Amino acid sequence: MRKPRIIQWGTGSMGRTTIRRILDRDDVELVGAYVTNPDKVGRDVGEIVKRPATGIIATNDIDQILALDADVVLHTSQISVPYAGQNADVIRLLESGKNVISPNGYNRPDYHGPDYAEPLRNAAIKGGATLAGIGLNPGFIVERIALSLAGLVGGRTDMRVYEVVDASNAPSPGLVFNAMGFGSDPAVSDLRQGPVAELYDTYFAEIFDYVAEKLGTRITEITPLHELTLAPHDIAIRVGTIAKGTVAATTWKWRAGFADGSGMLLSILWTSSHELHGEDAAAHWVIEIDGRPGVRATVELLDENPEAPPAKPAMDAMAVLLLNAVPHVMAAGPGFWDLPAILPARREVAP
């Protein structure tokens, strides 16, 4: 039985991490890499990730990627406005018979309605392939950890999940200044009202849909409560300088109400400096659940090298998630892959 043959789609920070993990393992094989940076086209993938030559040449020609004999595409391109803009490429990959694993959503395509979901589903069925959304958040912290902890709580009333991402050392200007919105001038445009907010409203709503289903209830409302933190002075980060008075941190925050009377808060803080937040920006994730008993848990990802960039442990963890999912996704039937989870006890509802 041959090893799963993998194509890496995107060679930003996450894609390069995933490629290194593939090269380090003996149970999978890298067979191709798709890049968008013209400077990477025609280069050996090993050179791109600072490893010995692999014989695999990076390309920006999707037809070359479609022609490869591969089982899985690890789709880690940078998510951008509009949310559905990535779907055209994903549809072509699925139609060619390649399973697609992506952290860019796809956890609950049906939540966005048939106009969004059906082209993806039809492409998967046509190609006999599976589309799987897998990641840390969405995909793991809430869906696997928080829901499992909810199984300890009787009379559950509220769940709160807080995430902190330190972007000060992120190497991609596009990620920091575009996708994250750092350096934007609130006097010119309010991130909380524009297309970036719409992107994240859509992307993270899939978490609430998953939670509601697994708890045996449904969403009644989702209210955005987004916050901006402005730079009190110029802040130097790896990819440039955030000017005083512009956005130095964003808190993407939503409160959902469920039909069983419970609620959930999801708060995601992306920051250029922990100094802006005091003690509120410590662990990567904090999970709190109210009920009998209440639960509070923290999750922090660590690197054995204390000098490692703050984002490195999260990228390593993401790579592990993506690669460990490969055999399970390959074994699934055509269509959408439903992320498995340990199901908690449902909330007690008085008769």
Side-chain angles (χ1 to χ4, degrees):
M1 183 175 178
R2 76 175 192 182
K3 301 176 184 178
R5 295 165 60 85
I6 296 177
I7 294 169
Q8 175 58 46
W9 185 281
T11 57
S13 297
M14 186 65 249
R16 293 195 301 275
T17 299
T18 306
I19 288 173
R20 293 185 190 107
R21 299 292 82 78
I22 294 171
L23 298 177
D24 288 341
R25 293 173 63 145
D26 59 8
D27 60 338
V28 290
E29 179 184 359
L30 183 71
V31 297
Y34 180 84
V35 297
T36 56
N37 185 339
D39 293 338
K40 296 179 181 178
V41 175
R43 293 170 59 188
D44 190 285
V45 171
E47 178 188 357
I48 292 173
V49 302
K50 298 181 179 179
R51 291 289 185 89
T54 63
I56 299 165
I57 305 303
T59 180
N60 62 353
D61 185 344
I62 189 172
D63 289 326
Q64 291 184 19
I65 293 295
L66 296 175
L68 289 173
D69 178 14
D71 302 297
V72 174
V73 177
L74 298 183
H75 178 267
T76 64
S77 61
Q78 182 175 303
I79 193 169
S80 60
V81 175
Y83 180 71
Q86 59 190 342
N87 289 4
D89 289 336
V90 170
I91 285 170
R92 294 188 67 185
L93 292 168
L94 292 168
E95 287 179 338
S96 74
K98 296 172 178 60
N99 301 292
V100 176
I101 299 176
S102 176
N104 289 353
Y106 305 123
N107 298 272
R108 312 284 285 176
D110 285 316
Y111 174 78
H112 305 298
D115 289 346
Y116 177 91
E118 286 309 306
L120 291 164
R121 178 181 283 108
N122 292 340
I125 292 172
K126 178 180 178 180
T130 301
L131 175 59
I134 299 171
L136 287 171
N137 189 33
F140 189 85
I141 295 298
V142 177
E143 292 87 340
R144 292 185 175 179
I145 298 180
L147 275 176
S148 295
L149 292 173
L152 303 174
V153 180
R156 175 182 44 81
T157 58
D158 198 51
M159 179 188 299
R160 297 175 298 279
V161 179
Y162 303 92
E163 174 177 307
V164 175
V165 177
D166 182 346
S168 61
N169 202 52
S172 169
L175 171 66
V176 172
F177 294 116
N178 296 329
M180 289 186 163
F182 290 1
S184 64
D185 186 346
V188 177
S189 62
D190 188 343
L191 285 176
R192 297 170 295 181
Q193 305 298 326
V196 173
E198 182 179 351
L199 169 68
Y200 296 127
D201 288 345
T202 305
Y203 177 58
F204 287 102
E206 297 181 0
I207 294 177
F208 296 108
D209 185 57
Y210 186 93
V211 168
E213 179 186 295
K214 300 308 179 184
L215 293 175
T217 185
R218 59 180 174 81
I219 299 169
T220 56
E221 62 180 351
I222 300 177
T223 304
L225 304 167
H226 308 318
E227 301 171 358
L228 304 178
T229 302
L230 305 185
H233 51 75
D234 288 357
I235 299 175
I237 58 176
R238 178 174 176 178
V239 293
T241 299
I242 298 172
K244 177 181 178 180
T246 65
V247 173
T250 56
T251 304
W252 301 106
K253 184 188 301 185
W254 303 264
R255 173 160 286 285
F258 298 134
D260 67 357
S262 67
M264 177 180 170
L265 178 77
L266 177 63
S267 174
I268 300 169
L269 168 62
W270 293 334
T271 185
S272 61
S273 173
H274 283 286
E275 294 178 358
L276 299 171
H277 314 286
E279 297 180 357
D280 295 333
H284 286 98
W285 292 276
V286 176
I287 300 167
E288 298 176 339
I289 306 173
D290 295 339
R292 303 187 309 270
V295 173
R296 188 177 194 273
T298 61
V299 179
E300 188 159 8
L301 301 175
L302 307 173
D303 192 275
E304 59 186 9
N305 177 9
E307 302 300 321
K312 184 177 183 299
M315 287 192 292
D316 284 338
M318 179 83 81
V320 172
L321 281 175
L322 296 174
L323 289 171
N324 285 348
V326 165
H328 303 285
V329 173
M330 287 178 59
F336 300 149
W337 192 63
D338 187 33
L339 179 72
I342 300 172
L343 301 185
R346 295 181 178 180
R347 181 171 183 262
E348 301 161 358
V349 180

